[in-house]
Amino acid sequence: MKNNHPSASNRLARECMVTALMQLLENRPLSTITVSELTAKAGVSRMTFYRNYSSKEDIFARHLQDILEEYRAESVSLHIGERAYSFPHMLHCFQYFNAHRDFLNCLFQSGLSGLFLSALEDYVLSRWQTDPNDPAEYYALRAFSGALFSVYIAWSKRGAKETPEQMAEMLSRYWARSEDRAQ
């Protein structure tokens, strides 16, 4: 991504490209969608595309980064939970997953789920790792990230039948019991 702080017009163009890409992905795989087709659907020029992105995959990466920046800012302002698996954090997490479910599903459908896992791991480590030299903490947080990723995929595949509140309750309770057993 070339433009780290886009203007209002670039933000609008990026939103249009994300929306257009998601619409095109409803009928075809990412590999068959051309930049020309994407920009025509989004109503932007190829120059606008290349000013903002280096590839179609970069649209996903940048939008995911934007979503996580919003999440991080909101999480800090809400002062939620000391632990990664606290109910308030899990609720906020699943509310965000739910709000961005269509985008995340397009990301997975396009074979780019690794972007989400990597971003999730980076967020969890940056938010909750207190000692970068403690391998137990590092691996525990990586395991938590992987579990959260896996649970989201399962929840989504089942049609997100449970509410974010139900998911938060189940998971925060489960991880709290797991921690109690470990002690």
Side-chain angles (χ1 to χ4, degrees):
M1 171 63 212
K2 299 173 186 171
N3 192 350
N4 290 329
H5 299 288
S7 66
S9 62
N10 271 358
R11 279 193 299 275
L12 179 59
R14 286 186 359 198
E15 288 173 22
C16 289
M17 285 186 271
V18 168
T19 300
L21 183 57
M22 289 174 58
Q23 289 171 351
L24 290 167
L25 286 168
E26 289 175 4
N27 301 313
R28 301 192 354 245
L30 182 64
S31 62
T32 66
I33 297 169
T34 67
V35 171
S36 294
E37 182 179 18
L38 173 62
T39 56
K41 179 110 176 135
V44 301
S45 69
R46 286 176 60 88
M47 185 181 349
T48 299
F49 174 84
Y50 287 112
R51 183 176 43 243
N52 287 280
Y53 303 109
S54 59
S55 67
K56 295 174 290 186
E57 294 80 4
D58 197 24
I59 294 173
F60 282 117
R62 182 60 193 158
H63 191 65
L64 184 59
Q65 182 182 1
D66 291 345
I67 289 169
L68 287 174
E69 285 173 11
E70 289 174 11
Y71 180 86
R72 182 185 308 271
E74 203 173 278
S75 182
V76 168
S77 72
L78 293 173
H79 306 289
I80 54 175
E82 293 296 318
R83 298 188 186 276
Y85 58 79
S86 69
F87 176 81
H89 175 259
M90 289 286 88
L91 178 58
H92 185 234
C93 181
F94 276 91
Q95 287 171 334
Y96 242 73
F97 286 165
N98 196 44
H100 297 285
R101 191 170 71 216
D102 291 341
F103 170 75
L104 293 173
N105 289 343
C106 280
L107 183 77
F108 298 148
Q109 171 191 333
S110 298
L112 300 172
S113 60
L115 287 175
F116 180 58
L117 177 58
S118 179
L120 188 57
E121 289 170 339
D122 290 347
Y123 173 77
V124 168
L125 286 170
S126 70
R127 173 71 171 83
W128 282 285
Q129 187 174 27
T130 58
D131 182 357
N133 297 316
D134 180 358
E137 180 186 50
Y138 172 79
Y139 290 121
L141 289 171
R142 294 289 298 247
F144 173 76
S145 301
L148 194 55
F149 172 78
S150 181
V151 166
Y152 170 75
I153 290 173
W155 182 56
S156 182
K157 282 183 179 178
R158 288 174 44 109
K161 293 176 186 172
E162 298 82 4
T163 66
E165 291 79 6
Q166 290 169 319
M167 294 301 295
E169 178 62 33
M170 285 186 284
L171 294 177
S172 61
R173 196 172 345 123
Y174 172 78
W175 277 309
R177 281 194 316 257
S178 294
E179 184 176 66
D180 290 344
R181 285 191 299 264
Q183 293 175 356

